[in-house]
Amino acid sequence: MNPKLLCLILLAFVNVHAQTITVSVPSSAPTAAPTLKPSLFSLSIEQDYWPDWAGTTEPNTFFVNTLENLKNRTGEPPWFRIGANSQDRTDFNPAVQYSETVPVAPSVASPYPEASEVIVGDGFYQIAENLPCGTNVVWGVNLLTNNMTAAFLEAQSIYEAFSSPAMVAAGVTLDSIEIGNEPDLYPGKLNYTSTNWNVSAYIAQWTRIATNLTNSGFVSSEGAKFLGPSWAGVSNAAKGFTPRGIINGGMLSSPAGQLLRTYSDHHYQCGPGEILSDLVVKANVRSNLTQLKPAISLIHSMGLDYVLGETGSCWGHGAVNTSNVGGAAIWTLDYTLFAGTLNISRLFFHQGVGFKYNAIQPVTLTRSILDGSPLSSPLPPHVQPPYHAALVAAEAIGTSGVTTIVELDIDDAAVSGYAFFENGVLKRAVLINLTLFFAASGAARGSKTIALSVTGTVQIKRLFIPSADATTGLVWAGQSFDTEDGLACGDAVEETASADSIVLNDTEALLVTFLDNGGY
Ligand SMILES: *[C@@H]1O[C@H](CO)[C@@H](O)[C@H](O)[C@H]1NC(C)=O
Ligand SMILES: *[C@@H]1O[C@H](CO)[C@@H](O)[C@H](O)[C@H]1NC(C)=O
Ligand SMILES: *[C@@H]1O[C@H](CO)[C@@H](O)[C@H](O)[C@H]1NC(C)=O
Ligand SMILES: *[C@@H]1O[C@H](CO)[C@@H](O)[C@H](O)[C@H]1NC(C)=O
Ligand SMILES: *[C@@H]1O[C@H](CO)[C@@H](O)[C@H](O)[C@H]1NC(C)=O
Ligand SMILES: *[C@@H]1O[C@H](CO)[C@@H](O)[C@H](O)[C@H]1NC(C)=O
Ligand SMILES: *[C@@H]1O[C@H](CO)[C@@H](O)[C@H](O)[C@H]1NC(C)=O
Ligand SMILES: *[C@@H]1O[C@H](CO)[C@@H](O)[C@H](O)[C@H]1NC(C)=O
Ligand SMILES: *[C@@H]1O[C@H](CO)[C@@H](O)[C@H](O)[C@H]1NC(C)=O
Ligand SMILES: *[C@@H]1O[C@H](CO)[C@@H](O)[C@H](O)[C@H]1NC(C)=O
């Protein structure tokens, strides 16, 4: 075709359809599309207040309901990683029933600080039986104190809890044991310095404890494995606290090291000073996650699984009015699904009682998560905006167990999209507008029409977010989950539309189901 003519046709298209974005959707899955785990969205729990999450003599019904909502959508509940900072402050005492903590006084900067010391007994691990049937658990033991007895007693209690008839009957499984949290950050703690603590010292200390747990039968090729090294930092360097560093240092070669089957790195996109308009940016989500690509392919080449064993929007329990608002739901959804396209198996979103970035607050709170000030009335257990991202991702993945994902190529800096296939057949898509609509802006909420390159009718479910700065009022497909019991309120609402004219508002995500493709 004459280039000038082509240009005229394109110009005409732009003029007539100024509000339409055309998006090409592959009708069958590209071969490189990774398969998504049903539990792509998983949870990491700060273990100091673990009994608040699980419940002790009785399950925490509210929390269990929020997990069952996710299990209902994918067939599998989220996985749990329990430990984090407080795992390296934990000791074991058989005389303690569940746990005893030494609390830290709250402050404006840290309204819900982690306990400085945690002493646990057998019941602490046994209450994992309160989790939904089918839950897999990764549990952390102490590496920091380099106390073999403490690590041994913790791992023994974990092993016994998960071997107990009650836990087996509950269908809750121990997937792995994690020895140490963020050991690259040990210098400055206890007697660790940047001179005496390097990757070789780490490997030696880890291997000594891991060998004991393996020889004790707590970790084995038939049973639970190891997960690690759980660095705080991400780096592709050949030396140091990096994937290449542990491989070259021989960590995977010892009999215990051969049982390290899941490589876990921690990643937060930003810190506690982050503003929402820097967090919810398509390019930032991509640059933050694509830096992990060399590590992911190296780890996969070693035959290990790659997970983000602790992740979230902003480290330090989240950023005020950024991690806890509607815009964070948009961020969580885009971040989770983009990680899925990179073949990251699971993202364990970190949670602690009263943390700002939580998807779920499992117990009644009496002070503000933003500044620690006393609340005029207690705030019962509730879900926060990021929880809704988990619901959308769960429905997009579905129950097939073989769903694959590709990112859609969308020529718009604020719109992202993903397509989902089952057995190679196009089933669903997610469309996300990352443009932030603020309640006080005074402007009308923007929207655009998306024209997908497939024909036929689609079913649409909408994640309604009142505004990017709203902390409540989110509605997924007509249903509210911000309820007393954590269960959906209202009937599910689905719209139908033609695949070439789907309306997407600002600060909104849609789940599109293709009705005419493969007889869904
Ligand atoms: C994704 O990672 C798994 C290992 O976790 C690997 O077996 C699989 O081949 C990878 N898939 C792709 C498409 O790279
Ligand atoms: C989800 O819940 C519905 C209604 O209770 C039920 O029919 C369906 O089988 C559940 N799906 C899964 C995967 O558990
Ligand atoms: C592991 O360490 C504990 C505590 O020091 C010790 O009692 C136990 O004998 C060790 N087990 C093995 C198999 O080395
Ligand atoms: C090591 O752990 C054991 C068991 O928890 C405890 O009794 C002991 O005091 C600890 N040792 C040190 C040096 O802290
Ligand atoms: C710190 O002190 C403990 C207890 O004395 C010892 O086992 C450990 O090796 C020391 N760690 C370092 C990094 O020097
Ligand atoms: C690593 O630290 C140990 C002491 O903990 C030291 O003996 C060793 O020389 C250090 N290695 C390097 C390469 O710095
Ligand atoms: C990650 O995103 C934040 C904004 O949220 C940005 O400041 C930072 O530079 C990004 N990091 C990378 C490695 O892309
Ligand atoms: C956070 O948002 C709340 C509610 O809009 C507001 O009252 C508070 O001043 C904000 N805090 C900061 C630090 O911006
Ligand atoms: C996303 O929101 C922005 C801001 O109003 C708007 O300009 C853009 O058209 C929207 N994009 C889509 C695809 O809806
Ligand atoms: C979003 O889009 C739907 C469908 O076009 C429309 O009904 C709704 O009013 C829009 N605005 C908001 C704020 O949801």
Side-chain angles (χ1 to χ4, degrees):
M1 194 189 284
N2 174 336
K4 204 171 169 184
L5 184 58
L6 177 64
C7 177
L8 283 174
I9 290 171
L10 285 178
L11 271 178
F13 184 84
V14 167
N15 282 337
V16 174
H17 301 275
Q19 291 306 110
T20 300
I21 299 183
T22 302
V23 176
S24 169
V25 182
S27 57
S28 61
T31 47
T35 303
L36 297 172
K37 304 278 190 219
S39 49
L40 177 66
F41 180 98
S42 285
L43 297 171
S44 162
I45 308 286
E46 189 64 55
Q47 80 171 10
D48 50 358
Y49 300 111
W50 165 241
D52 282 351
W53 295 87
T56 53
T57 51
E58 282 175 18
N60 176 341
T61 309
F62 172 84
F63 183 47
V64 169
N65 285 346
T66 64
L67 302 170
E68 292 282 0
N69 290 336
L70 300 175
K71 176 179 173 181
N72 185 270
R73 287 167 167 76
T74 65
E76 186 186 38
W79 283 36
F80 276 74
R81 175 257 185 173
I82 309 164
N85 272 332
S86 46
Q87 98 188 40
D88 275 332
R89 299 177 196 154
T90 296
D91 200 351
F92 187 84
N93 181 345
V96 169
Q97 187 179 13
Y98 299 109
S99 63
E100 288 171 9
T101 54
V102 177
V104 168
S107 64
V108 172
S110 190
Y112 286 86
E114 293 153 25
S116 61
E117 215 183 312
V118 187
I119 315 285
V120 303
D122 289 324
F124 181 80
Y125 300 112
Q126 191 67 44
I127 56 177
E129 72 189 33
N130 290 340
L131 296 173
C133 180
T135 302
N136 281 272
V137 176
V138 176
W139 220 311
V141 301
N142 194 324
L143 177 71
L144 183 78
T145 56
N146 197 22
N147 181 335
M148 181 75 89
T149 308
F152 169 83
L153 292 176
E154 290 167 23
Q156 176 176 254
S157 184
I158 293 170
Y159 176 79
E160 285 172 357
F162 282 86
S163 314
S164 69
M167 191 78 79
V168 173
V172 179
T173 307
L174 181 67
D175 177 77
S176 0
I177 289 185
E178 176 185 24
I179 308 173
N181 175 66
E182 305 187 345
D184 50 332
L185 296 187
Y186 283 3
K189 298 176 180 168
L190 304 182
N191 56 347
Y192 295 80
T193 66
S194 51
T195 318
N196 68 19
W197 190 243
N198 52 42
V199 75
S200 329
Y202 162 72
I203 292 171
Q205 189 161 316
W206 184 90
T207 304
R208 196 174 75 91
I209 293 177
T211 300
N212 176 288
L213 304 191
T214 304
N215 291 344
S216 302
F218 306 151
V219 173
S220 65
S221 50
E222 301 77 39
K225 311 291 187 291
F226 289 116
L227 169 146
S230 317
W231 310 134
V234 298
S235 164
N236 297 310
K239 290 185 177 167
F241 298 107
T242 71
R244 189 71 75 185
I246 61 159
I247 294 168
N248 293 349
M251 182 166 167
L252 306 180
S253 313
S254 72
Q258 285 170 22
L259 295 171
L260 180 74
R261 298 288 169 80
T262 306
Y263 185 93
S264 165
D265 215 335
H266 294 180
H267 179 261
Y268 291 90
Q269 185 169 312
C270 51
E274 181 81 346
I275 55 169
L276 193 63
S277 55
D278 285 341
L279 177 73
V280 194
V281 174
K282 183 181 175 183
N284 289 347
V285 170
R286 274 135 196 83
S287 61
N288 267 266
L289 291 171
T290 52
Q291 66 174 326
L292 306 173
K293 272 178 149 180
I296 297 168
S297 64
L298 174 62
I299 290 305
H300 285 163
S301 76
M302 303 296 295
L304 275 66
D305 221 10
Y306 184 99
V307 301
L308 292 181
E310 187 183 311
T311 194
S313 52
C314 312
W315 53 264
H317 306 172
V320 174
N321 294 346
T322 295
S323 299
N324 58 305
V325 296
I330 291 291
W331 174 84
T332 305
L333 184 61
D334 196 39
Y335 183 82
T336 303
L337 296 178
F338 190 76
T341 69
L342 299 180
N343 203 7
I344 293 173
S345 297
R346 291 186 181 83
L347 298 93
F348 294 82
F349 282 91
H350 197 48
Q351 316 277 304
V353 171
F355 292 1
K356 294 180 255 300
Y357 49 43
N358 278 10
I360 303 156
Q361 295 292 4
V363 286
T364 297
L365 304 178
T366 55
R367 54 182 188 272
S368 160
I369 63 168
L370 300 181
D371 61 12
S373 59
L375 295 172
S376 50
S377 55
L379 196 52
H382 61 284
V383 296
Q384 299 202 144
Y387 180 73
H388 302 83
L391 291 169
V392 180
E395 284 190 37
I397 296 167
T399 54
S400 78
V402 295
T403 303
T404 59
I405 186 170
V406 291
E407 187 182 14
L408 298 172
D409 184 7
I410 301 184
D411 184 18
D412 186 313
V415 180
S416 65
Y418 303 88
F420 301 83
F421 304 85
E422 290 176 7
N423 300 307
V425 178
L426 176 65
K427 289 291 181 180
R428 292 174 290 278
V430 165
L431 298 169
I432 305 170
N433 192 343
L434 291 89
T435 304
L436 299 175
F437 168 76
F438 287 97
S441 69
R445 194 170 186 136
S447 75
K448 227 174 219 184
T449 301
I450 306 265
L452 300 178
S453 68
V454 292
T455 52
T457 304
V458 294
Q459 183 194 76
I460 294 172
K461 287 188 172 184
R462 220 167 266 278
L463 174 59
F464 172 75
I465 302 177
S467 64
D469 44 348
T471 53
T472 58
L474 281 73
V475 175
W476 167 234
Q479 296 184 306
S480 170
F481 291 81
D482 194 359
T483 55
E484 212 172 305
D485 57 7
L487 297 174
C489 172
D491 292 330
V493 174
E494 291 160 1
E495 304 161 30
T496 51
S498 171
D500 62 5
S501 63
I502 297 170
V503 174
L504 176 64
N505 300 312
D506 296 356
T507 313
E508 184 175 79
L510 303 179
L511 175 67
V512 176
T513 299
F514 299 99
L515 299 173
D516 305 333
N517 197 338
Y520 178 74

